[in-house]
Amino acid sequence: MSKIVIALGGNALGDTPQEQMQLAAGAAKAIADLVEGGHDIIVVHGNGPQVGMISKGLSAAAESGAIHVSMPLPECGAMSQGYIGYHLQNAITNELRARRINKCVASIVTRVLVDENDAAFSSPTKPIGAFYTKEQADRLAAEKGYTMVEDSGRGYRQVVASPCPIDVIEKESIQALVAAGQLVIAVGGGGIPVAERPEGLVGVPAVIDKDLASAKLAQLVGADVLIILTAVEQVAVNFGKPDQKGLDCMDIAQAQEYIAQGQFAPGSMLPKVRAAMSFAKSGGKAIIAALERAAEAVQGKSGTVVIK
């Protein structure tokens, strides 16, 4: 029996509550397959579309005067953890019950420690929230200190830092629940970013990469396997070209060489490969695989294994 951390993308859960419930039910089948195989499971999920929806809605409400203040990003992240966690809890519980598996499913609102001196805070790059006109963007920059950038000809958006995860504050709670036989959903959206200040832990406006946070959690809880789920069955080189080649396995040196060649797209496969490398460096086994073939990937029948 292995302890497995699964990283599930936020885009795999759709853009509306109805889509999310339907897609969560599909994800639950793949997760239940692993539970049925006797593994202890921790699920980490993305929250890009969901936290964007929450932030946009509350920003629009603040602009119209329906609410008095804009909601800070850490609070929006916390809301998304509850919203997504609830749907995943329900879907996984229902799937386990259908298979007559008696296992509790728990979501933990999870904070992840970052360093406010991280270079990412000097050059924010992660776009979030609504699109604005140039005039609105200038006003938000002046009034709230936001960094606003033009985004692909669609308008202006706020960009925030994407710092490296240092620690998972709730790691002991997660370990205790897993030890008690529960399936745990944690570190949603990469975790709520917090920094250590003289007055204690304080939320900071940032977005932590979900895959890197998953790798950090897997290290901290002593997981045997990290599975990073994606839309394709394997990592490939020369992706989309006639000579595309899927990779069954690659070590860290090979992965670094492929990265130097520009083989992996920055917005999709590159962060997954880097997260897998991070966990592999600690001696763990990292797998990048398709959601529906997660159980096969653990058996070595699908996916790309990244090793030290």
Side-chain angles (χ1 to χ4, degrees):
M1 182 174 70
S2 298
K3 184 187 295 182
I4 299 175
V5 172
I6 300 172
L8 178 67
N11 287 315
L13 295 170
D15 295 317
T16 68
Q18 293 73 25
E19 284 182 2
Q20 184 165 288
M21 281 189 284
Q22 182 179 358
L23 292 168
K29 294 183 185 300
I31 293 165
D33 287 343
L34 291 168
V35 175
E36 212 161 31
H39 304 293
D40 290 326
I41 304 297
I42 302 169
V43 178
V44 176
H45 60 78
N47 72 343
Q50 296 83 2
V51 78
M53 178 182 67
I54 292 166
S55 178
K56 286 178 190 177
L58 293 172
S59 294
E63 288 285 322
S64 71
I67 59 176
H68 297 301
V69 292
S70 294
M71 192 62 65
L73 186 57
E75 281 73 8
C76 290
M79 290 178 192
S80 76
Q81 286 190 358
Y83 162 48
I84 299 168
Y86 155 59
H87 279 172
L88 285 173
Q89 278 178 267
N90 250 8
I92 296 168
T93 298
N94 290 341
E95 184 63 30
L96 293 176
R97 284 180 176 178
R99 301 186 190 201
R100 302 186 184 281
I101 298 172
N102 183 23
K103 182 179 281 287
C104 292
V105 183
S107 294
I108 296 183
V109 175
T110 315
R111 298 161 294 170
V112 171
L113 185 68
V114 299
D115 183 356
E116 287 189 285
N117 293 317
D118 190 305
F121 286 102
S122 301
S123 54
T125 58
K126 188 76 174 178
I128 61 161
F131 289 90
Y132 297 95
T133 65
K134 179 69 165 60
E135 293 72 23
Q136 289 172 320
D138 289 343
R139 177 170 57 81
L140 287 168
E143 291 178 359
K144 301 183 179 182
Y146 290 174
T147 301
M148 307 293 291
V149 299
E150 197 278 330
D151 187 351
S152 307
R154 295 176 292 175
Y156 287 77
R157 297 177 81 189
Q158 181 188 3
V159 289
V160 298
S162 185
C164 290
I166 297 172
D167 194 12
V168 176
I169 306 299
E170 283 73 27
K171 59 183 179 292
E172 291 179 1
S173 299
I174 295 166
Q175 288 175 306
L177 286 169
V178 172
Q182 298 199 27
L183 189 152
V184 182
I185 300 163
V187 193
I192 303 162
V194 295
E196 191 74 69
R197 295 181 186 170
E199 65 269 32
L201 293 172
V202 178
V204 293
V207 174
I208 303 167
D209 180 82
K210 172 263 304 175
D211 295 316
L212 284 177
S214 300
K216 175 57 69 175
L217 176 64
Q219 293 170 25
L220 292 170
V221 301
D224 303 294
V225 181
L226 168 67
I227 305 178
I228 300 174
L229 299 175
T230 184
V232 294
E233 288 192 17
Q234 286 186 314
V235 179
V237 293
N238 301 322
F239 184 75
K241 299 177 181 178
D243 57 345
Q244 175 177 319
K245 177 187 176 185
L247 304 173
D248 294 325
C249 181
M250 61 178 169
D251 60 28
I252 291 172
Q254 290 171 319
Q256 287 174 330
E257 184 176 338
Y258 289 138
I259 289 171
Q261 294 172 7
Q263 289 283 359
F264 309 129
S268 56
M269 191 56 74
L270 181 58
K272 299 182 190 309
V273 170
R274 283 184 167 154
M277 291 167 63
S278 173
F279 185 61
K281 284 177 185 176
S282 69
K285 177 181 179 180
I287 306 170
I288 300 173
L291 169 63
E292 63 275 10
R293 304 197 67 183
E296 294 174 73
V298 171
Q299 298 168 4
K301 298 176 182 178
S302 186
T304 300
V305 177
V306 182
I307 57 174
K308 191 172 184 179

